[in-house]
Amino acid sequence: MKILVCISKTPDTTAKIAFTDNNTKFDTGGVQWIINPYDEWYCLVRAIELKEADASTVIHLVTIAGADAEPVIRKALALGGDEAIRVNADSTDSFYIASQISEIARQGGYDLVFTGKETIDYNGSSIGGMVAEFLDLPFVSHATKFELTGTNATITREIEGGEEVCEVTLPLVVSCQAGVAEQRIPNMRGIMAARTKPLKVVEPVTADSLTSYIRFELPPAKAGVKLVPADQPEELVRLLHEEAKAF
Amino acid sequence: MPVLIFIDTADGHVKKASLEAICYGVKIAEQTGTTAEAVVLGEVKDDLSSLGKYGLKKVHHANNASLNHTDAQLYTKVLAQAAKATGAKLIIFSNNLNGKAIAPGLSVCLKAGLVSGAVSLPDTGTGFIVKKTVFSGKASAHVSVKTEIKIIALNPNAYKIETKEGIAEVVSFTSPDVASKVNVIKTTKASGEVPLTEADIVVSGGRGLKGPENWGMLEDLAKTLHAALACSRPVADAHWRPHSEHVGQTGVTIAPNLYIAVGISGAIQHLAGVNHSKIIVVINKDPEAPFFKAADYGIVGDAFEVVPKFTDAVKKLKGVV
Ligand SMILES: Cc1cc2nc3c(=O)[nH]c(=O)nc-3n(C[C@H](O)[C@H](O)[C@H](O)COP(=O)(O)OP(=O)(O)OC[C@H]3O[C@@H](n4cnc5c(N)ncnc54)[C@H](O)[C@@H]3O)c2cc1C
């Protein structure tokens, strides 16, 4: 059983969001980088649990990023996983990134590819679906539970207006969200072990970019809060009805 | 070349988010001198010709029970066929759960640039540029699409539904004969009546509510306002409420007309998921709670005293009591 876990580095959730070069670039100054929470908390941890249940499982991590992503990948390896592959390219285009991941997936012959439901920076929600289509594999999105018996996966996924339980035979691409696993903290042994785990760097294959980010903007500031005394909730109702026309 | 809109159904009914996608697609069609057509997969209960009142000229319907479940791989193949048959150069999805499941596959299949999370009409002045949210709502970006065929996934609640006059022509089409590899064994409907991402009004509770047993007053308020319920992350992590209600940077992103936050401090990760709400109301006993800085209206007070009175006042206004 071989699992490929897609890892993206993203700014820490408390990072100041600002832009430089005439608002054309994200300002990385002072930004702490983390593993995209969906990739870490759900995909990686679930893969580790599957390996704990079946020691013959092999977990590879893949990231498409420059060398500056290596500390984040080492952190992922400290949680678990056998080796990491970094495709040496920087891109914000999902099609390009998915092309690279698909190439790695094809070469490695994985049974299962895990991606987060989205990254918390560009919010594309695209990589899993794209990789699946590149590989012509079934894609189950927004998984909230993932169980495996042999090569049969039973997956609970969020759908519009509810939940669906489905069965699929591997190979398969799954995007994960809350529920699939619980966040873990790396321990000292894991951190030590991660230092010597293989981190392969490969050059990207030729692939197109279909989109590009032209410019960014921050939302306009709020005008300020209008406070209503605690003993007059009916006044708040009046303001919401008459002034804000909210209901 | 029509603009092609994917219509998404739940339980056989057209989703509100799809109506928004239709109106958005119709507007682009008007601006670019073409017509808007739509595609529906699987059995439906609604009268599809009535979608003409949103400006659709034609609805392509693959009325096939094997398409009742949204399977990304299968849907991608069927939609690619519909796109090719109509010659559409622009395909619109709602950026809801189904749109997120299918649009990326179609993007690869048609080699069409995809912008997901769009919040306004494309700027076609120089090229084709679409504004979308990034950093979970903390900022937005203008994205240029370079391919001949383009796909936009529109955020729910980002475009207004407008009705006109008209009846759409419904044409059936035969989907390619491919079987789904995903075998659905059970479907469960969400407990709330109003889907969270589509809701006009959202009532949300945080750790300040002390425990799941105190959600009754929020449910009462939500019911009175016909609102959906949401919560902060610790509330879902503690299993007071289901994770499907968890909003924020690592949960669901929403943009309702009115967001009422009760006993939520307003951490940056929470704000990220809700700051596109048009009006934010905060009820919190701590005047220093950061949420007040992001709010339009607020009450500094104890939720257990304020909320029931607030609900009563809404009921009185609505003539419920
Ligand atoms: C990587 C990461 C990702 C995260 N993602 C998310 C996310 O997606 N969504 C999210 O919500 N959080 C997220 N968080 C957590 C976030 O940082 C906060 O911890 C969380 O939002 C706090 O939830 P809360 O406001 O319910 O609780 P608290 O911060 O404990 O606030 C409770 C509030 O209730 C008020 N209160 C108490 N009693 C009463 C009363 N009787 N009446 C009125 N008010 C009262 C208090 O004054 C306080 O302001 C994330 C954190 C990290 C590190």
Side-chain angles (χ1 to χ4, degrees):
Chain A
M1 173 71 182
K2 276 184 90 177
I3 307 174
L4 184 65
V5 179
C6 302
I7 298 284
S8 176
K9 83 173 204 307
T10 52
D12 174 56
T13 53
T14 57
K16 183 170 176 343
I17 304 302
F19 304 98
T20 59
D21 293 13
N22 239 339
N23 288 326
T24 58
K25 283 205 184 79
F26 174 58
D27 183 357
T28 54
V31 168
Q32 299 270 356
W33 297 92
I34 58 167
I35 311 170
N36 181 45
Y38 295 103
D39 306 350
E40 176 188 336
W41 301 347
Y42 312 123
C43 301
L44 182 54
V45 175
R46 190 67 191 120
I48 294 166
E49 288 170 354
L50 293 171
K51 191 179 167 91
E52 286 165 354
D54 172 3
S56 70
T57 304
V58 174
I59 303 172
H60 288 178
L61 316 181
V62 62
T63 192
I64 318 303
D68 58 344
E70 295 203 351
V72 165
I73 304 167
R74 288 278 174 213
K75 190 186 161 206
L77 285 170
L79 279 160
D82 299 293
E83 70 172 63
I85 304 155
R86 177 171 72 80
V87 179
N88 188 29
D90 236 334
S91 174
T92 52
D93 179 60
S94 307
F95 185 90
Y96 181 90
I97 293 169
S99 304
Q100 304 303 333
I101 294 174
S102 306
E103 185 57 29
I104 297 294
R106 247 182 237 120
Q107 288 171 8
Y110 298 93
D111 304 290
L112 187 57
V113 180
F114 274 148
T115 73
K117 77 154 185 176
E118 66 177 355
T119 56
I120 60 166
D121 47 10
Y122 293 101
N123 309 125
S125 307
S126 306
I127 300 299
M130 287 185 171
V131 169
E133 184 61 22
F134 273 121
L135 302 173
D136 198 21
L137 291 179
F139 172 52
V140 177
S141 64
H142 303 99
T144 57
K145 229 181 234 157
F146 182 91
E147 299 299 336
L148 200 60
T149 323
T151 56
N152 290 317
T154 305
I155 306 166
T156 306
R157 61 180 289 235
E158 196 183 352
I159 54 168
E160 282 305 317
E163 261 186 6
E164 187 175 271
V165 182
C166 58
E167 290 175 338
V168 202
T169 306
L170 304 185
L172 165 75
V173 181
V174 182
S175 81
C176 301
Q177 61 182 26
V180 165
E182 299 274 347
Q183 183 181 7
R184 287 190 184 183
I185 309 293
N187 57 30
M188 210 51 211
R189 231 180 81 219
I191 295 168
M192 299 303 285
R195 292 190 186 159
T196 53
K197 285 183 184 172
L199 196 172
K200 285 189 201 152
V201 181
V202 301
E203 289 307 313
V205 290
T206 311
D208 288 323
S209 289
L210 311 187
T211 60
S212 60
Y213 283 80
I214 304 290
R215 122 185 106 80
F216 296 91
E217 66 189 51
L218 292 169
K222 284 267 179 188
V225 61
K226 203 178 249 190
L227 288 177
V228 175
D231 56 357
Q232 292 172 26
E234 64 286 350
E235 171 61 6
L236 179 57
V237 171
R238 189 192 67 78
L239 285 169
L240 290 173
H241 178 60
E242 289 174 14
E243 186 177 85
K245 303 205 178 343
F247 49 73
Chain B
M1 308 302 161
V3 172
L4 188 65
I5 300 130
F6 170 70
I7 296 185
D8 177 27
T9 59
D11 210 17
H13 297 291
V14 174
K15 304 282 297 173
K16 176 185 162 218
S18 285
L19 299 182
E20 293 163 0
I22 293 171
C23 293
Y24 179 85
V26 164
K27 188 77 187 175
I28 300 174
E30 276 169 17
Q31 287 178 347
T32 51
T34 176
T35 56
E37 301 182 4
V39 51
V40 184
L41 308 185
E43 294 169 315
V44 290
K45 294 174 184 150
D46 296 346
D47 169 19
L48 294 175
S49 66
S50 72
L51 295 175
K53 71 168 179 277
Y54 303 102
L56 281 179
K57 290 284 174 272
K58 215 185 230 184
V59 179
H60 305 265
H61 185 197
N63 189 0
N64 184 339
S66 69
L67 294 171
N68 285 359
H69 297 290
T70 311
D71 169 30
Q73 193 182 22
L74 186 57
Y75 268 44
T76 296
K77 292 197 166 68
V78 180
L79 290 178
Q81 179 192 292
K84 282 176 189 151
T86 55
K89 293 287 175 274
L90 177 62
I91 302 153
I92 312 288
F93 286 85
S94 165
N95 196 40
N96 61 7
L97 291 162
N98 288 342
K100 287 174 184 175
I102 322 158
L106 192 64
S107 161
V108 168
C109 196
L110 299 175
K111 210 171 177 189
L114 163 67
V115 180
S116 55
V119 290
S120 54
L121 290 165
D123 172 1
T124 51
T126 51
F128 192 94
I129 296 169
V130 188
K131 185 173 165 183
K132 65 160 283 179
T133 54
V134 285
F135 297 100
S136 310
K138 291 175 192 165
S140 42
H142 298 259
V143 181
S144 160
V145 188
K146 299 182 262 190
T147 46
E148 192 196 354
I149 307 179
K150 300 166 179 73
I151 304 178
I152 300 177
L154 175 72
N155 265 355
N157 280 348
Y159 198 80
K160 227 175 137 69
I161 296 171
E162 270 175 40
T163 51
K164 333 177 177 224
E165 304 256 308
I167 293 171
E169 178 194 355
V170 181
V171 291
S172 61
F173 81 99
T174 326
S175 52
D177 193 17
V178 269
S180 172
K181 291 183 190 154
V182 178
N183 182 22
V184 176
I185 52 176
K186 195 174 134 202
T187 329
T188 337
K189 271 176 104 173
S191 50
E193 287 165 39
V194 190
L196 178 55
T197 54
E198 296 192 351
D200 229 19
I201 304 180
V202 174
V203 174
S204 188
R207 207 143 54 175
L209 286 177
K210 313 277 188 288
E213 66 282 4
N214 294 326
W215 244 259
M217 65 179 189
L218 290 197
E219 279 164 0
D220 191 22
L221 175 58
K223 206 167 161 222
T224 310
L225 287 170
H226 197 62
L229 281 168
C231 67
S232 67
R233 181 170 161 225
V235 165
D237 281 349
H239 303 294
W240 295 0
R241 300 297 302 175
H243 257 297
S244 54
E245 289 182 8
H246 152 201
V247 291
Q249 192 160 8
T250 52
V252 182
T253 306
I254 53 170
N257 197 30
L258 174 62
Y259 182 72
I260 304 177
V262 184
I264 303 176
S265 58
I268 186 165
Q269 299 94 351
H270 184 85
L271 294 180
V274 303
N275 68 2
H276 281 263
S277 311
K278 273 161 212 92
I279 297 152
I280 294 179
V281 173
V282 170
I283 299 172
N284 195 306
K285 69 173 185 192
D286 175 11
E288 301 298 323
F291 220 147
F292 283 115
K293 290 203 177 66
D296 300 283
Y297 298 92
I299 289 184
V300 179
D302 185 339
F304 297 99
E305 287 167 22
V306 174
V307 172
K309 284 190 205 147
F310 181 82
T311 307
D312 282 346
V314 177
K315 283 182 179 162
K316 207 179 276 168
L317 176 81
K318 298 203 165 215
V320 189
V321 282

